[in-house]
Amino acid sequence: MASRGRVWPGVRPARAPAMRALAGLWVLSLLTCGYLSWSRGREQDQEAGRGPELGSPTSSQPHLIFILADDQGFRDVGYHGSEIRTPTLDRLAAEGVKLENYYVQPICTPSRSQFITGKYQIHTGLQHSIIRPAQPNCLPLDSATLPQKLKEAGYATHMVGKWHLGFYRRECMPTRRGFDSFFGSLLGSGDYYTHYKCDGPGTCGYDLYENDRAAWGQDRGVYSTQMYTQRVQRILATHDPRKPLFLYLAFQAVHSPLQAPSRYFRHYRSIVNTHRRRYAAMLSCLDEAVSNVTLALKAHGFYNNSIIIYSSDNGGQPTAGGSNWPLRGSKGTYWEGGIRAVGFVHSPLLKLRGTVCRELVHITDWYPTLVALAEGRIDEDAHLDGYDVWEAISEGLRSPRVDILHNIDPIYTKARGGSWAAGYGIWNTAVQSAIRVQHWKLLTGSPGYSDWVPPQAFSNLGPTRWHQERVTLSTGKSVWLFNITADPYERVDLSGRYPGIVRQLLRRLSQFNRTAVPVRYPPGDPRSNPRLNGGVWGPWYKEESKKKKPRKNKAEGKRKERKTKKRPQKAGAGPQCGLGAPWG
């Protein structure tokens, strides 16, 4: 017998009024009861496209659905051999195009900034680390964002989930950067149920927002993966599918803290390692959430004209349960395990489906690709670093991309053995940098933790010893060269064998570096403390605070000018906050 609210295949037109009534009841039930988990039989029917859609879109502009997972490791999807069950991701990827030469950045803020601006970090000033909660810093306000360009093309733009692109001023908030609505968190992490985040002793606050205000009234203590899915279902239930929609769904999962509803643990009791078991449960919940989003797209008439893009923001963190095997390194590093990501595109609009794309694709490419699909316009002076890669994905053609600047971080800890001499006088190899040109990848400086972490490393004590897989970097070494096509696991360093290629890539690094803007990484501001802002993380910096107070008389003003020498502010450094402790 069919379950309540099911959309039956093969419904005759005469039954359309009854079906619309049922659909209305279904929407009402969804809005009242929240998160909906349908039976596997129904899921298989609708995922196979056997259920009718409720509307037929008339716009030539496709609906754009971008789903970003947080800290999902390269191995942590079924089709990469994981023991974690991801049936929805496996099925969507198998029916779409798997991106198997796809790169992101090694940590949260850089990937998100490059997705939303189409620019490398060196061109936005976000080269170093992430945006910290107390930092007066955000995505540069002079950068035209992806949602802004899509709005110009007539799209409704909605964001649900994790922002992590700064919020110290109201102008930095998602709804001021192109989104019609925002529901989610501003910070990089937090409790999945209470939505509180502590950034140190005495600096704890609430971090759940509805547009520009704390979402106290929307908070029911629901697990964030499920809560965000509920919001997406509400957006789809109320939006007209004949009008183009851009939906950016940035899940908090599977980032630490490792929390998941108890029912998702039942398949993973055999996993001994506690972190890995919790991580697996979180990923299963995420997989189910993607299923429910896809089903809602079908139920509300969006699916046939939708392009669904799925991506992780960086590699997994083994100490928090993630696995990048057989790749080297982890989150926070420029080894392949930190930057090569799970990614795929699923859409009825793809010309070739059920295929694998091995062309070079980077997260900056989504900006020009999606704007082109939306029939939008990119300004001639935009100076994007991304490319339109739709034909490479949809038709199997060659990608216009031949290189990727993974990053140049001039203030990261310098490699002790690095020098200009080691860089042939072209580049100071003490500086942390990484670049890919065709098959070749070059790393300089300190690339980060470099071990391979095989699956058997997840013992009950956690991944602390890999035995023969452990690598100790040679003392004084500051340059590595790999042929990534032939050696994707970075086991054979070729820098000594091919010094000519090393020089060529160092010159390319130098060329990129000449276009870099100053790093934006200001010290923390004590005014950011949630205790000073109603217990909430949120905008604290006000332009009025920069205005000078009226002087009582000219003589007093002259005395103050003689006593005070104004220090110049560096370009792009944000407001001067002298009371803040430095962030390193």
Side-chain angles (χ1 to χ4, degrees), residues 66-77 79-80 97-107 111 310-316 323-324 327 335-344 357 359 361-363 366 404 406 436:
F66 193 92
I67 301 174
L68 190 65
D70 200 338
D71 285 9
Q72 182 178 0
F74 181 80
R75 185 174 175 267
D76 296 330
V77 65
Y79 64 84
H80 281 172
V97 177
K98 297 175 184 175
L99 306 178
E100 294 299 342
N101 201 5
Y102 173 53
Y103 288 87
V104 293
Q105 297 307 111
I107 46 179
S111 283
Y310 182 90
S311 170
S312 179
D313 68 338
N314 47 248
S323 176
N324 304 306
L327 302 181
W335 304 106
E336 293 290 285
I339 57 179
R340 191 166 176 177
V342 173
F344 63 80
C357 175
E359 292 296 305
V361 178
H362 185 248
I363 194 166
W366 297 122
I404 297 173
H406 293 304
R436 168 83 177 266

